[in-house]
Amino acid sequence: MDKENKTVKITTDSIVRYQNGEEILKHLKHPLVNTILIANDLKKRCLCLPAASYNSRLELHFSEIKKLVIGENSSLIVDLRDNPYIRELVVKDGFAGSINLARSSIKKIKFGNNCRGDLILEDCMNCFFLKAGDIFSGHVRVKNSCFHSFSVGYYCYADIKMENIRGRKKLSIGASFRGEININGLNIPRLNVGHDCRGRITLSGQNDKEHTGRLNILDDFSGTLDLSSEGQAEKIEVGSFASGNFNLLGCRGLKFLKFEDAFSGIADLSGSDVEYICAGCGCRGKIVVINCPRLSLLELPLNKHNDITSERNPLRMEIRRNRLFCHFHEHSLPRSYFTPFYMVLFRKFCRRLRRI
């Protein structure tokens, strides 16, 4: 939701406009209530807004502020568009409102817990770090920008939209995600999704140069992963007890897909470039591999109850360590595709600890 759709009820006496810095700071000694503050002439290295400010609006387009701190339980509209000075934004717990950082020079953004509202990051001049705490909700729009890292905490149910962006590190989604992520034209080395995700993740508009290197989804995934609209992920690893929908139709550049124990969802890889698919013990899900000419190896539990749909028959099949190996090509796959046995044991140990 853009800031233009936001309204603030004020009176004429509640507008503070173009005053000198000292006069403006007097208004910030106490919480802002029903106030519009236009502070383009303000010069202060760190500006702290009082906690419990509400129903107010701040326009800080040309304020020479390096760091802005918004106090706890504030309800504000903050407009920092085109600000060439701002470097850091800290939003304390319980914030509600909207923040516009389009075309700003922001480098670091941190939200506390229980924050809700709108955040706009379009055409930003610097790569930024963004970290949102637990129970973050609202709308986040990132476009034509670059981030070093981007993470949201536990039980996030925000609507996050990213278009034409680059990530130098990773994008991390915390446990129990309930929102929606729609990413178009992403170039990032790693995307991490926490436990118990029930949201929707959509990657689209990617190519060989704009893709996700590794997508790692932890246990109990029951949401939707959609890469059918030109989404690109080279390696996808999914934890145990996944029951969601994996729409990987036509996913070019996909090398391998791995499910740990007890997969019971649906994975459609038709028309993809996948080379290796692995499903752990207790797999009873459905895997579709129609028109996958590069598929070389399908590894399944021997006592499988899963449903495999393919128009091809394996060249040969073998049984090793209670596992069924279906070979569709004779060439060897890279060792990096296979998880070392000690890592399998370590993951099972961590899973048991988490469920205690």
Side-chain angles (χ1 to χ4, degrees), residues 112-115 131-137 151-158 172-179 194-197 354:
N113 298 325
N114 296 292
C115 291
K131 183 177 181 180
D134 298 338
I135 318 179
F136 179 75
S137 64
S151 65
V152 296
Y154 166 79
Y155 207 77
C156 169
Y157 48 101
S172 298
I173 306 301
S176 300
F177 178 69
R178 298 293 186 270
H195 301 281
D196 187 34
C197 173
R354 190 175 65 84

Side-chain angles (χ1 to χ4, degrees), residues 70-83:
I70 300 177
E72 295 181 350
N73 302 316
S74 294
S75 177
L76 299 169
I77 298 171
V78 181
D79 193 345
L80 282 158
R81 287 178 298 172
D82 303 295
N83 189 303

Side-chain angles (χ1 to χ4, degrees), residues 299-314:
E299 181 182 344
L300 301 168
L302 185 60
N303 55 341
K304 67 183 189 312
H305 299 284
N306 48 278
D307 180 9
I308 307 297
T309 302
S310 174
E311 85 285 11
R312 300 165 59 196
N313 292 320

Side-chain angles (χ1 to χ4, degrees), residues 199-294:
R200 183 179 183 88
I201 302 170
T202 303
L203 304 181
S204 61
Q206 297 175 300
N207 51 45
D208 293 339
K209 295 182 179 180
E210 296 175 342
H211 67 278
T212 302
R214 183 183 292 268
L215 200 163
N216 187 32
I217 300 173
L218 297 185
D219 298 346
D220 301 302
F221 178 84
S222 58
T224 298
L225 175 66
D226 189 351
L227 278 70
S228 60
S229 297
E230 298 182 352
Q232 298 285 346
E234 186 175 339
K235 301 173 182 179
I236 301 176
E237 295 188 69
V238 185
S240 299
F241 305 101
S243 60
N245 183 24
F246 297 82
N247 189 353
L248 306 175
L249 284 160
C251 187
R252 301 298 176 184
L254 178 63
K255 300 299 183 182
F256 70 68
L257 171 66
K258 292 182 180 180
F259 294 104
E260 293 189 16
D261 297 346
F263 170 64
S264 60
I266 301 174
D268 192 344
L269 296 95
S270 299
S272 72
D273 289 340
V274 67
E275 297 179 354
Y276 171 52
I277 300 174
C278 176
C281 297
C283 174
R284 59 183 187 277
K286 181 177 182 180
I287 300 175
V288 181
V289 286
I290 296 175
N291 189 25
C292 296
R294 297 189 179 184

Side-chain angles (χ1 to χ4, degrees), residues 83-138:
N83 189 303
Y85 307 104
I86 189 69
R87 294 292 185 271
E88 183 176 355
L89 172 67
V90 177
V91 182
K92 298 293 185 65
D93 296 349
F95 173 81
S98 69
I99 300 174
N100 195 332
L101 288 160
R103 301 177 299 279
S104 73
S105 60
I106 193 71
K107 287 186 174 182
K108 186 176 181 181
I109 305 164
K110 184 177 180 180
F111 280 84
N113 298 325
N114 296 292
C115 291
R116 63 186 187 276
D118 301 340
L119 176 64
I120 298 175
L121 293 156
E122 294 185 352
D123 302 297
C124 292
M125 292 186 286
N126 295 316
C127 278
F128 57 84
F129 294 86
L130 186 148
K131 183 177 181 180
D134 298 338
I135 318 179
F136 179 75
S137 64

